[in-house]
C-alpha cells in the first residue's frame, strides 16, 4: 500500500495566494510546532470523520450487495430461506462487468503508440515580457548579421578582380557594423509565429516527460483498477499527482585517500545517494474513501477522508519523513505495541466474502491513520492559535492534515501543489444525482439478475422432483417389516389384509414438468439485462444470429450503436480523471521539474471520446465507403492512396502503409527495374537469336554432314552394286564363255565323231543350230573332212573347216545347256554303240590331230617318224600318259574358239 508524500509547507510557496496569506500560513505551519497549534482541531476532525462514516453506511450495504452479486453469492438471510432447495447463482453480472472493463480499457489504453490525451499550447500562449523581448532581440540580431554580410559582399563586388585577372584585388577596408537602431523592428506576426513554434516544441517535450512519468508510476495499472471499481460499484477513485521523494544510487569519481587521510593521484568510483521528487499516483478502494456525504460532486465537498490501515513498519516509515511529527508517531507506537484499530462492519463482511479465516483477516497489530484533505475556516485556525487577518477569518483554507484515531495531528500542510486542490479524481459508470457516488452494473441489473437466479433455481428444483417417481405410502397397510424408504427395481411390497375401500398401500404421484415455461422466463430476463445494461451479449463475442446480428454488416451496425454507450463512459473518465489528473501532473512539472525547456502555457486535452471511439466508427465508415466506390464510375474520382492511409490510421496500422514519397521511390525503382528487365530481356533475345543462328548453322552443317554421309553410304552402296553388277557381268561372261567352251568342246567331240562317222555329221550340224549357231557356209561334204585341217579366222568355230561356218544365235543358257545335255546323251549312246571312249560329260574324246582343229598334234610325233596319228586314235599326254580333257589339252586352241 502506497501513501501520499505531500511536501511540507516549508518546501512550497504559492503565487496564487496573497503575500499576507503565505506569511500567515508559514507562521502557522512552520514557525511553531504544528501539534501545538492544531491540537484543538484534532477532535473536530475525528468527530467529522465519525459523521462521514455514519452517513456512508447505507452506501456500504449497497456495495456489499454489489460485490456478492458479482461473486455469485446470495444475501445471508436469503440463502437461509432457501433451505434444501437449489442455491445456484447465474453470474451474469460478472460477464457484463468484465466486458465493459475490457472494452473501455482497450479504448483508453490502445496497444499502439496512440494516447488518450494530448498537451498543446493555448491559442494565444501567455509569455512574459522578458521572454518576448528576448525573441525580438534574437530576430533583430539575426537581421543585423544578415545586413552586415550583405554589405561586405557588396564591398567585395565593387573591389573587382586584380588587373591581370589572376588574383583578386586586395580587400578594401572592412564595412562598418550596421547600427542596431538602423535595424527595423520585426513584424508582430513573425514574433508571434516564432513564439508559437517554441511553445509547440516545449509542449511536445512536456508530453514526452509526462508520458514517461505515467509509465514509471504504473498509471495504466492503477487506472484499470479505477475502471473496474467504477463498473462494479459505480465509482472509481484515482489519487494523484502528489510528490514522492525517491532515493537512487549513483556513482562518481573521487580521489583515493592515503593513510593520513590526504587525497592521492589515484581515483575510484564511489556510490552516493540522491533524493529526487517524482509524481505519485495511487488507486483508492472505495472502502477507504470517506467523502462529504452532503455533497453530490467533488467540488462541493468540504472534506475527504482516507482511512489507512498500516503495519508498524509503515507507520514508522512516516516518522522518517520531514513533513511528519516523528515524536508523536513514535509515542503512538510505544503506547500501542499491539496495534490500534477498530473492526468495522463492512470489514467483517468482506472477510466473510473472501472466505478468509479469522487469523488471515485479523487486523490486530495494525494502526489506523486518517488522512484529511479539505478546507478549514480561518476562524477555526484563529481559535487554535493560528494568526489570521481579521478580514480573512471567514475564508476557508485548503490543507492536508494527517491524524491518529485519538485526534493527534502528525502532519499539517497547506496546498502542496499550485493549481491542484483535490488530489482525488472520480470515475462514474452511472452518476447518481442524489449522491456523490455512482451506480454500477450490479445495481443496475439487480432485478434481472434476481429473476434469472429465481427462474434457474425453479428449473433445477422442478427437474429434480420430476426426474424420478414420488410415492405415497400408507404405512398401516404395509406388512410388518416393510420399509417404505427401501425403493429399488423389482421391489415387492407386502401389505395387510384390509377392506376394499382402504386403497393401495403404495401409490405413485405424478408431478408436472414446467421446464420449458421456466426456461422462457430465464431467456426473457436475460434479454432484458442486455437492454438495461446497454451491453448486449454479442459484445462479448457470442455468436448471435437473431435479427441484424446475423449478418456482418448488421453486426457492425449494432457494434456502432454499442459504441455510443461506451463513448459516454469514456467521456466520463476523460472529464473526471484524465483532464484533472493530467492538469495536476502538468502543474507538478511546472513546479518541481528542473528542465525549463519543457515549461510553457499549455492546455491538456482528452482524446478518448473524441478520437478513440470515433476511430472505430470512422473505420467502419471508411470500409463501407471503399466498398461503395469499387466501381469504374466512382473509382476514377477517388484517391485510393489517401483512402488507404485513412483506413490504416483508423485501424492504427499506419506503419504498414507506404507514404507518398515511398510510393514514388518504389515506383521509380520499379520503373528502373522494368527498364533493366527489358534491357536484360532484349539482351537475352539477341543472345537467343544469335544462338538460334548458330544452332541453325550447326544444324545445317550437321544436315550437310549427314547428307554427305548418306551420299557416301549411297556411293558405297552404289559402288557395291556396281561391283556386284560387274561381278554379275563377269559371272555371266564367265558362264557364257564356259557355256560356249563347253559347247565348242562338245562340238569338237561331235565333229570328231562326225569325222569318224560321216553319217552323223548332219545330226551334229543340227545340234549346233539348235545350240544357237548359224551356218554361214554351205553344207560341207563328209569327204572334205578328210582333207588337211583348215584354220579359220578368229571368231569362227574351229570345227567349221573346209568353208563351213556357224554364227552363234542368242539363246538362253538353260536352253543351250539342255541341248548340250541332249547332245552328250546321244554321244554317250553312240560311244556305247561304237565302243569309243568318252569323257566325264559323255563326249567322245578327240583322237589325234587329224581332227583339223588342232594347230599341232596333241602329242608330237616321234622324232624318227613323220607320221601323224591316224584319225580316231587317242592322243595321250606325253607327260602323264592320260588322254582326253583330263590329259590337259590346254595346248590346243580350242578355248580360243
Amino acid at each position: 500500500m502506497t501513501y501520499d508524500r505531500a511536501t511540507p509547507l516549508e518546501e512550497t510557496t504559492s503565487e496564487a495566494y496573497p503575500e499576507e496569506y503565505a506569511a500567515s500560513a508559514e507562521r502557522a505551519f512552520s514557525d511553531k510546532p504544528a501539534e501545538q497549534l492544531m491540537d484543538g482541531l484534532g477532535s473536530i476532525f475525528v468527530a467529522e470523520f465519525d459523521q462521514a462514516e455514519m452517513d456512508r453506511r447505507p452506501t456500504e450495504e449497497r456495495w456489499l450487495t454489489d460485490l456478492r452479486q458479482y461473486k455469485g453469492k446470495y444475501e445471508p438471510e436469503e440463502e437461509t430461506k432457501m433451505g434444501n432447495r437449489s442455491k445456484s447463482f447465474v453470474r451474469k453480472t460478472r460477464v457484463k462487468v468484465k466486458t465493459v472493463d475490457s472494452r473501455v480499457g482497450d479504448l483508453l489504453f490502445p496497444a499502439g503508440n496512440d494516447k488518450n490525451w494530448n498537451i498543446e499550447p493555448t491559442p494565444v500562449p501567455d509569455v512574459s515580457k522578458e521572454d518576448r523581448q528576448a525573441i525580438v532581440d534574437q530576430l533583430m540580431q539575426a537581421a543585423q548579421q544578415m545586413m552586415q554580410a550583405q554589405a561586405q559582399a557588396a564591398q567585395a563586388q565593387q573591389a573587382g578582380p586584380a588587373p591581370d585577372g589572376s588574383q583578386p584585388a586586395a580587400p578594401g577596408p572592412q564595412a562598418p557594423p550596421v547600427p542596431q537602431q538602423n535595424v527595423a523592428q520585426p513584424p508582430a506576426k513573425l514574433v508571434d509565429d516564432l513564439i508559437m513554434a517554441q511553445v509547440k516544441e516545449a509542449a511536445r517535450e512536456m508530453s514526452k516527460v509526462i508520458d514517461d512519468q505515467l509509465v514509471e508510476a504504473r498509471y495504466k495499472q492503477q487506472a484499470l483498477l479505477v475502471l473496474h471499481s467504477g463498473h462494479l460499484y459505480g465509482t472509481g477513485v484515482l489519487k494523484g499527482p502528489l510528490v514522492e521523494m525517491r532515493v537512487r544510487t549513483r556513482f562518481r569519481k573521487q580521489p583515493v585517500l592515503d593513510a593520513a587521510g590526504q587525497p592521492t593521484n589515484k581515483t575510484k568510483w564511489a556510490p552516493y545517494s540522491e533524493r529526487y521528487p517524482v509524481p505519485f499516483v495511487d488507486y483508492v478502494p472505495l472502502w477507504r474513501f470517506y467523502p462529504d456525504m452532503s455533497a453530490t460532486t467533488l467540488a462541493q465537498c468540504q472534506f475527504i477522508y482516507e482511512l489507512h490501515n498500516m503495519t508498524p513498519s509503515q507507520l514508522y516509515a512516516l516518522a522518517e519523513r520531514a513533513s511528519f511529527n516523528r515524536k508523536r508517531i513514535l509515542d503512538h507506537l510505544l503506547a500501542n505495541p499491539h496495534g490500534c484499530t477498530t473492526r468495522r462492519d463492512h470489514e467483517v463482511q468482506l472477510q466473510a466474502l473472501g472466505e478468509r479465516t479469522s487469523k488471515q483477516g485479523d487486523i490486530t497489530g495494525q494502526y489506523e491513520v486518517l488522512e484529511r484533505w479539505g478546507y478549514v475556516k480561518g476562524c477555526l485556525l484563529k481559535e487554535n492559535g493560528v494568526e489570521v487577518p481579521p478580514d480573512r477569518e471567514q475564508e476557508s483554507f485548503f490543507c492536508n492534515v494527517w491524524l491518529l484515531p485519538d485526534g493527534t495531528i502528525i502532519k499539517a500542510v497547506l496546498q502542496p501543489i499550485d493549481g491542484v486542490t483535490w488530489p482525488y479524481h472520480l470515475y462514474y459508470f452511472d452518476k447518481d444525482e442524489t449522491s456523490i457516488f455512482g451506480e454500477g452494473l450490479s445495481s443496475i441489473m439487480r432485478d434481472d439478475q434476481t429473476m434469472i437466479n429465481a427462474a434457474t433455481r425453479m428449473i433445477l428444483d422442478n427437474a429434480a422432483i420430476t426426474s424420478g417417481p414420488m410415492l405415497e405410502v400408507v404405512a398401516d397397510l404395509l406388512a410388518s417389516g416393510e420399509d417404505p424408504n427401501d425403493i429399488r427395481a423389482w421391489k415387492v411390497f407386502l401389505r395387510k389384509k384390509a377392506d376394499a375401500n382402504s386403497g393401495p398401500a403404495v401409490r405413485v404421484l405424478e408431478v408436472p414438468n414446467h421446464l420449458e415455461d421456466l426456461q422462457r422466463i430465464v431467456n426473457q430476463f436475460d434479454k432484458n439485462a442486455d437492454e438495461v445494461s446497454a451491453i448486449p451479449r454479442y459484445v462479448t463475442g457470442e455468436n448471435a444470429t437473431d435479427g441484424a446480428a446475423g449478418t456482418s454488416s448488421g453486426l457492425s451496425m449494432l457494434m456502432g450503436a454499442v459504441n455510443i454507450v461506451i463513448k459516454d463512459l469514456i467521456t466520463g473518465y476523460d472529464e473526471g480523471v484524465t483532464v484533472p489528473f493530467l492538469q495536476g501532473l502538468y502543474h507538478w512539472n511546472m513546479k518541481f521539474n528542473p528542465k525549463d525547456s519543457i515549461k510553457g502555457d499549455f492546455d491538456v486535452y482528452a482524446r478518448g471520446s473524441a478520437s478513440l471511439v470515433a476511430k472505430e466508427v470512422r473505420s467502419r465508415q471508411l470500409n463501407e465507403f471503399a466498398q461503395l466506390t469499387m466501381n469504374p464510375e466512382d473509382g476514377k474520382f477517388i484517391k485510393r492512396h489517401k483512402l488507404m492511409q485513412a483506413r490504416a490510421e483508423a485501424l492504427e496500422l499506419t506503419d504498414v502503409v507506404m507514404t507518398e514519397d515511398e510510393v514514388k521511390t518504389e515506383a521509380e525503382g520499379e520503373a528502373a527495374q522494368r527498364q533493366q528487365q527489358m534491357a536484360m530481356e532484349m539482351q537475352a533475345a539477341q543472345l537467343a537469336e544469335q544462338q538460334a543462328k548458330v544452332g541453325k548453322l550447326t544444324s545445317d552443317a550437321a544436315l550437310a554432314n549427314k547428307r554427305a554421309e548418306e551420299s557416301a553410304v549411297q556411293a558405297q552402296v552404289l559402288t557395291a552394286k556396281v561391283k556386284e553388277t560387274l561381278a554379275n557381268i563377269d559371272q555371266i561372261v564367265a558362264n557364257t564363255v564356259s557355256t560356249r567352251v563347253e559347247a565348242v568342246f562338245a562340238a569338237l567331240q561331235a565333229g570328231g565323231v562326225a569325222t569318224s562317222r560321216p553319217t552323223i555329221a548332219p545330226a551334229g550340224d543340227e545340234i549346233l543350230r539348235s545350240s544357237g549357231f548359224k551356218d554361214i557356209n554351205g553344207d560341207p561334204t563328209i569327204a572334205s573332212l578328210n582333207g588337211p585341217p583348215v584354220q579359220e579366222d578368229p571368231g569362227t568355230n574351229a570345227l567349221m573347216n573346209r568353208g563351213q561356218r556357224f554364227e552363234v544365235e542368242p539363246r538362253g543358257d538353260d536352253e543351250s545347256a539342255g541341248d548340250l545335255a541332249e547332245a552328250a546323251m546321244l554321244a554317250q549312246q553312240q560311244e556305247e554303240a561304237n565302243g569309243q571312249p568318252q569323257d566325264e560329260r559323255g563326249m567322245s574324246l578327240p583322237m589325234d590331230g587329224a581332227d583339223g582343229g588342232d594347230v599341232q598334234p596333241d602329242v608330237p610325233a616321234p622324232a624318227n617318224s613323220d607320221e601323224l596319228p591316224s584319225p580316231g586314235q587317242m592322243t595321250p599326254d606325253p607327260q602323264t600318259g592320260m588322254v582326253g580333257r583330263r590329259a590337259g589339252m590346254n595346248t590346243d586352241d580350242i578355248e580360243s574358239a
Side-chain angles (χ1 to χ4, degrees), residues 27-344:
R27 288 192 301 271
F29 289 90
S30 179
D31 293 344
K32 297 181 181 180
E35 61 272 13
Q36 296 179 6
L37 295 176
M38 306 288 290
D39 279 344
L41 291 178
S43 59
I44 298 176
F45 292 156
V46 171
E48 188 180 57
F49 171 75
D50 292 339
Q51 184 63 41
E53 181 181 13
M54 185 179 301
D55 294 340
R56 202 193 70 167
R57 193 160 297 162
T59 306
E60 292 177 2
E61 296 296 332
R62 178 171 63 85
W63 291 345
L64 289 170
T65 304
D66 292 343
L67 182 59
R68 291 190 184 96
Q69 183 175 325
Y70 177 80
K71 296 176 69 67
K73 294 181 178 296
Y74 290 101
E75 296 293 324
E77 59 276 8
E78 185 179 0
E79 188 173 3
T80 302
K81 294 178 181 179
M82 293 180 184
N84 295 327
R85 294 168 55 190
S86 173
K87 299 179 182 179
S88 64
F89 197 108
V90 182
R91 301 177 67 178
K92 286 290 184 179
T93 302
R94 182 182 182 277
V95 176
K96 300 296 184 183
V97 172
K98 286 294 185 180
T99 300
V100 181
D101 288 349
S102 302
R103 186 65 175 162
V104 176
D106 290 342
L107 292 175
L108 288 175
F109 305 100
N113 296 325
D114 199 4
K115 303 187 295 290
N116 66 328
W117 56 272
N118 194 17
I119 294 179
E120 296 180 0
T122 57
V124 181
D126 186 13
V127 296
S128 64
K129 295 181 179 179
E130 293 78 8
D131 293 339
R132 186 178 184 88
Q133 186 60 41
I135 294 174
V136 172
D137 294 341
Q138 292 177 2
L139 291 175
M140 294 182 67
Q141 184 178 1
Q144 185 180 4
Q145 293 176 356
M146 183 180 299
M147 294 174 64
Q148 183 72 22
Q150 291 176 355
Q152 292 179 358
Q155 184 178 2
Q157 186 176 5
Q158 291 177 0
D164 57 356
S166 59
Q167 295 293 334
Q174 187 175 5
V178 179
Q180 187 173 3
Q181 60 269 18
N182 295 339
V183 180
Q185 290 287 330
K189 186 177 184 305
L190 180 61
V191 176
D192 294 339
D193 292 342
L194 186 57
I195 291 175
M196 180 60 72
Q198 292 182 355
V199 174
K200 286 183 177 179
E201 180 63 26
R204 283 192 292 268
E205 294 299 323
M206 174 68 80
S207 178
K208 292 180 181 178
V209 170
I210 291 179
D211 195 14
D212 180 70
Q213 291 172 345
L214 293 178
V215 173
E216 187 176 359
R218 297 173 56 85
Y219 169 71
K220 178 180 178 180
Q221 289 74 11
Q222 304 298 328
L224 292 178
L225 295 176
V226 172
L227 292 175
H228 178 71
S229 176
H231 301 152
L232 176 58
Y233 302 112
T235 307
V237 182
L238 182 70
K239 183 180 182 181
L242 295 173
V243 183
E244 179 182 9
M245 298 301 297
R246 292 186 180 179
V247 180
R248 59 188 174 191
T249 302
R250 291 179 175 265
F251 291 85
R252 61 186 172 188
K253 281 187 177 182
Q254 64 181 17
V256 178
L257 304 179
D258 57 11
Q262 299 297 325
T264 62
N265 295 330
K266 297 181 179 180
T267 60
K268 66 177 181 179
W269 289 95
Y272 71 97
S273 298
E274 181 183 58
R275 291 171 58 86
Y276 65 99
V278 295
F280 166 75
V281 182
D282 190 21
Y283 157 70
V284 180
L286 287 179
W287 311 105
R288 289 166 33 190
F289 187 70
Y290 293 87
D292 182 5
M293 293 301 294
S294 63
T296 58
T297 62
L298 191 64
Q300 297 175 356
C301 291
Q302 290 294 320
F303 60 86
I304 292 177
Y305 285 90
E306 183 178 353
L307 178 63
H308 300 281
N309 286 320
M310 296 185 179
T311 62
S313 61
Q314 290 173 338
L315 183 58
Y316 183 82
L318 293 180
E320 298 296 322
R321 302 178 188 175
S323 59
F324 285 84
N325 191 306
R326 175 183 177 85
K327 182 178 181 303
R328 295 256 177 137
I329 295 176
L330 295 180
D331 291 344
H332 185 68
L333 288 172
L334 292 175
N336 302 278
H338 301 293
C340 180
T341 185
T342 302
R343 290 174 61 89
R344 291 169 173 80

Side-chain angles (χ1 to χ4, degrees), residues 631-817:
N631 56 79
E633 292 78 9
D634 299 334
K636 58 185 178 181
F637 300 105
I638 304 301
K639 297 179 180 179
R640 288 294 170 184
H641 185 260
K642 293 291 185 181
L643 179 59
M644 180 60 67
Q645 285 183 337
R647 296 173 69 181
E649 290 176 358
L651 297 174
E652 298 181 2
L653 297 174
T654 53
D655 54 341
V656 302
V657 179
M658 294 187 297
T659 62
E660 293 183 359
D661 295 337
E662 292 175 342
V663 173
K664 183 178 179 181
T665 302
E666 184 172 352
E668 293 176 354
E670 290 179 355
Q673 186 177 2
R674 285 195 298 268
Q675 292 179 357
Q676 183 179 2
Q677 186 176 0
M678 291 176 61
M680 293 176 62
E681 290 177 355
M682 291 178 62
Q683 293 179 359
Q686 292 176 357
L687 180 61
E689 184 179 359
Q690 296 296 332
Q691 291 178 350
K693 290 181 179 180
V694 173
K696 187 175 183 303
L697 294 176
T698 303
S699 61
D700 292 343
L703 182 60
N705 292 334
K706 183 177 181 181
R707 289 178 178 176
E709 292 177 357
E710 291 178 354
S711 299
V713 172
Q714 291 177 359
Q716 292 177 359
V717 173
L718 184 59
T719 302
K721 288 183 178 180
V722 170
K723 290 181 180 180
E724 182 180 1
T725 303
L726 294 176
N728 292 335
I729 292 173
D730 292 341
Q731 182 66 33
I732 293 172
V733 172
N735 292 336
T736 304
V737 172
S738 176
T739 301
R740 289 181 178 178
V741 168
E742 290 178 356
V744 171
F745 182 75
L748 290 177
Q749 288 188 354
V753 175
T755 304
S756 62
R757 297 176 185 176
T759 57
I760 64 173
D765 293 338
E766 187 64 28
I767 293 172
L768 290 174
R769 291 187 186 95
S770 63
S771 299
F773 291 92
K774 183 179 180 181
D775 189 1
I776 61 176
N777 293 324
D779 295 333
T781 61
I782 296 299
S784 63
L785 295 177
N786 294 325
V790 180
Q791 297 296 329
E792 300 293 337
D793 294 332
T796 60
N797 197 303
L799 295 178
M800 300 176 184
N801 54 4
R802 294 180 178 86
Q804 187 179 7
R805 298 181 180 180
F806 291 89
E807 292 181 357
V808 180
E809 295 181 356
R811 301 180 63 189
D813 295 338
D814 295 338
E815 186 178 356
S816 299

